Amino acid sequence: MEWHDLYNTQPKLQQRLQIVREYISYSLNASPPGKIRIVSVCAGDGRDLLGTLAHHPRAKDVQARLIELNPHLVERGRATALIWVRHQQIEYLHADATISSNYVGGPESRYC
Ligand SMILES: C[S@@+](CC[C@H](N)C(=O)[O-])C[C@H]1O[C@@H](n2cnc3c(N)ncnc32)[C@H](O)[C@@H]1O
């Protein structure tokens, strides 16, 4: 069993995820009007960010890059984010987050 499978059975992890989503939601609510730029480092399958965006009115303003090393989680995350990937709001990189070149051209530099 892998760490991310434990989300299905462990209440503590589910509670943690809920708290993380609430923080993300709070940050989105507090963002000024216009584009909201996000980089998710070691994103896993994106359940924290994508799970929040799925129900958040500011999702349309988000421009995000998610960086994850595990190809299975990237695949799963891309499937979840399909509609946003198509609209070029979300880039899901299968890449090493410790390599600075993987941040080049990301939301921060592109939209500043
Ligand atoms: C504990 S998980 C957290 C994932 C996600 N933030 C969450 O809370 O569900 C850490 C993730 O970091 C990824 N990871 C570890 N080293 C990495 C690296 N150098 N670059 C990108 N991802 C990395 C792992 O594959 C794993 O999916």
Side-chain angles (χ1 to χ4, degrees):
M1 184 178 284
E2 300 213 41
W3 66 266
H4 42 90
D5 296 320
L6 298 174
Y7 275 112
N8 299 328
T9 53
Q10 293 208 356
K12 287 256 181 223
L13 264 185
Q14 292 163 356
Q15 193 181 10
R16 174 191 168 279
L17 176 61
Q18 186 55 36
I19 291 168
V20 172
R21 284 177 175 168
E22 282 169 17
Y23 273 108
I24 294 171
S25 185
Y26 176 83
S27 298
L28 294 174
N29 291 337
S31 297
K35 283 268 177 256
I36 303 171
R37 298 178 289 267
I38 298 172
V39 176
S40 180
V41 176
C42 302
D45 62 7
R47 67 182 66 208
D48 44 12
L49 178 60
L50 301 177
T52 306
L53 294 182
H55 307 288
H56 202 283
R58 295 293 308 275
K60 60 183 179 349
D61 297 328
V62 167
Q63 197 76 43
R65 175 174 288 185
L66 291 82
I67 305 177
E68 169 56 43
L69 209 48
N70 180 324
H72 305 297
L73 295 178
V74 171
E75 196 178 328
R76 196 191 299 181
R78 280 182 183 151
T80 305
L82 195 58
I83 192 78
W84 293 305
V85 171
R86 281 202 188 125
H87 288 97
Q88 298 183 328
Q89 273 187 263
I90 285 185
E91 289 174 291
Y92 222 117
L93 261 56
H94 175 214
D96 188 338
T98 65
I99 297 175
S100 58
S101 60
N102 287 326
Y103 297 88
V104 173
E108 280 306 316
S109 51
R110 193 181 309 158
Y111 294 98
C112 282

